[in-house]
Amino acid sequence: MTSAAKVLLAAGGLAALAAVALGAFGAHALKGRLTPEMLAVWHTAVEYHVFHALGLLAVGLVATQLSESALLKWSGWLMLAGLVLFSGSLYALALTGVRWLGAVTPAGGTAFLAAWALLVIAILRA
């Protein structure tokens, strides 16, 4: 297995672990502390976090077969960046209520879109 595939698979596994922990934290520790609106924001962050942790695992698995694909490596890094920007900004918004953090979220969504597009292109070019 290449080092890129290992990194992507490890990042996906760690992202999934964090998503489960943050989901449980939101469901139990934050339930009585956040408004229903901010709990919904937290839930959205966790939902996208889980989907894209699985996406990172998928990119890592494809990387075991397409180890030389630069597009695939970019897909993984963009998926990771999207996790930090999209879910991270929503977690921070829910915890702090600082509304400008919501302006960061679309950058993460754009990174997610680019990551998925690059994954498809890398597979089609293989």
Side-chain angles (χ1 to χ4, degrees), residues 26-40:
H28 300 289
L30 297 179
K31 190 172 185 179
R33 297 175 188 222
L34 296 181
T35 66
E37 177 189 5
M38 289 297 111
L39 274 176

Side-chain angles (χ1 to χ4, degrees), residues 31-108:
K31 190 172 185 179
R33 297 175 188 222
L34 296 181
T35 66
E37 177 189 5
M38 289 297 111
L39 274 176
V41 168
W42 187 272
H43 176 77
T44 299
V46 170
E47 187 174 19
Y48 277 80
H49 192 151
V50 169
F51 292 148
H52 291 88
L54 294 173
L56 266 172
L57 290 170
V59 173
L61 289 173
V62 174
T64 65
Q65 301 300 310
L66 304 177
S67 60
E68 299 303 316
S69 174
L71 292 175
L72 198 56
K73 291 172 189 167
W74 274 103
S75 174
W77 288 116
L78 284 167
M79 199 150 316
L80 191 57
L83 270 169
V84 171
L85 294 171
F86 187 92
S87 292
S89 66
L90 291 180
Y91 291 135
L93 170 62
L95 290 174
T96 67
V98 176
R99 294 283 179 187
W100 69 262
L101 288 166
V104 176
T105 309

